[in-house]
Amino acid sequence: MPEGTSGMDERALLRRAAAGDRAAFAEFYRQTAPWLAVRLRKRCADEQLVAEVVQDTYVAVWRAAGSFADGAAVDSVLGWLWRVAARRLVDAFRREGRHRDVAEVAAVTATTAPAAEDALLEWTLSGDVGTALGALAPELRQVLQAMVLDGLTVRETSDLLGIPEGTVKTRARRARLTIREAMS
């Protein structure tokens, strides 16, 4: 790597990439692509589709790096990167008419080491909230994860999970009510 990019944080690299620095973008990719691929594999067991989504994501990031660098409202580079990737994954499912199979994803998740943010989230939610989330039916937990943690819309969640939008709304409401009852 050229001098001056190795060891920089993701935000600084993205700002430099927004200014057209290809070396900074290459370093941003090197630092973040493995993390992104692991997260995508938790949503999709098709390695080829994951590779396509990673590529599409970084093309979109290269083009939109300026909007991130200018946006004061965006707090986390990795959060922004994940939102871009999650939307690309939904687009890929739409485009190819694929819907992920829950059992297939569960098999991939079982063989994938948890990401650091997943471990942190598990630790953070180890109290009453964690207990309430753990008691949710898997289909309710999936909807909450997609909408709350991944920041997807109802439509994107519907496409990702392969269920109607009305079902997404119903499950999200049921999950919230169940958690509220468990917490009171």
Side-chain angles (χ1 to χ4, degrees):
M1 257 311 105
E3 187 175 292
T5 58
S6 184
M8 293 182 71
D9 73 359
E10 291 93 1
R11 184 178 295 276
L13 289 168
L14 201 52
R15 282 191 184 120
R16 287 183 57 182
D21 185 337
R22 290 180 185 271
F25 184 75
E27 180 64 15
F28 177 77
Y29 176 86
R30 188 191 68 73
Q31 288 183 15
T32 59
W35 170 85
L36 183 61
V38 167
R39 288 220 49 192
L40 286 168
R41 282 187 201 107
K42 289 184 176 193
R43 297 288 187 179
C44 176
D46 183 341
E47 283 294 323
Q48 182 178 352
L49 188 60
V50 167
E52 290 172 17
V53 170
V54 167
Q55 181 179 357
D56 290 348
T57 297
Y58 283 98
V59 168
V61 166
W62 173 254
R63 291 179 180 152
S67 68
F68 176 83
D70 296 338
V74 180
D75 295 334
S76 164
V77 172
L78 293 178
W80 178 75
L81 178 63
W82 174 246
R83 283 190 298 280
V84 172
R87 285 182 171 87
R88 293 294 176 271
L89 183 60
V90 168
D91 291 345
F93 283 144
R94 280 185 196 143
R95 183 175 56 246
E96 300 197 15
R98 298 180 188 179
H99 295 286
R100 79 181 171 101
D101 179 29
V102 175
E104 185 177 88
V105 171
V108 171
T109 302
T111 62
T112 306
E117 69 277 1
D118 293 337
L120 177 62
L121 183 63
E122 185 178 319
W123 175 80
T124 303
L125 298 178
S126 61
D128 293 340
V129 175
T131 302
L133 282 173
L136 284 177
E139 65 273 8
L140 301 180
R141 196 170 32 252
Q142 286 177 330
V143 167
L144 273 188
Q145 180 179 355
M147 293 181 71
V148 176
L149 299 179
D150 296 342
L152 300 180
T153 65
V154 170
R155 181 179 212 168
E156 291 165 337
T157 300
S158 168
D159 288 337
L160 182 67
L161 299 176
I163 58 177
E165 289 181 33
T167 303
V168 169
K169 292 176 186 177
T170 300
R171 288 181 183 177
R173 184 173 176 352
R174 282 182 37 213
R176 288 182 182 116
L177 288 173
T178 302
I179 289 175
R180 189 174 296 137
E181 287 172 12
M183 298 296 294
S184 57

